[in-house]
Amino acid sequence: MRSSSYILAISLVFCLVVQSCTPRPRPINYGTDKCAYCSMSIVDRQRAAQVVTSKGKIYSFDAVECMLNYDRNYDKTPVALFLCNSFDNPGVLADATEGIYLISDNLPSPMGAFLTPFRDAAEARRIQGQKDGELYNWLSLKEHFDMEIKNSR
């Protein structure tokens, strides 16, 4: 009986250690937290973003474009999670790599890239029908931003 209690205790400690090492997001304190890229207050619940590194360091951003610029220019620690809010689910951080992104001159964003994230592709297409613009997935959005940087030089 004593050895099974010992094994149970070791298993519990192991689970707690593994769980504490798993990179996780942190809720954004809107109106208080500052963007890690541009230092603006994070207030937009439809466009805020967050990076969680593999070491668990958390960077919050006021817009997806700040997250992309930060990732390109600063911290080179491997990223465990790219997260963002979305137009169709404000205030809820979700996997940015699975999002759909609309760039439309008729839908402003905090940093002027006119970039709006969506969780639901059908909703993104519906808003695109109203506001025009181009839709991107995560990889094509990163390529688009890389091309914008190259073209501005």
Side-chain angles (χ1 to χ4, degrees), residues 102-140:
L102 175 62
I103 297 179
S104 169
D105 289 342
N106 299 311
L107 197 57
S109 64
M111 294 307 296
F114 299 95
L115 172 61
T116 303
F118 290 85
R119 292 291 83 177
D120 183 332
E123 180 65 5
R125 286 189 295 274
R126 186 181 77 74
I127 298 298
Q128 179 190 31
Q130 296 173 355
K131 303 288 186 179
D132 294 321
E134 295 292 323
L135 291 174
Y136 299 86
N137 65 27
W138 179 250
L139 292 177
S140 64

Side-chain angles (χ1 to χ4, degrees), residues 50-67:
Q50 194 172 84
V51 163
V52 182
T53 70
S54 59
K55 293 181 178 181
K57 188 143 175 95
I58 296 171
Y59 300 96
S60 296
F61 305 94
D62 67 332
V64 173
E65 53 260 45
C66 284
M67 177 172 64

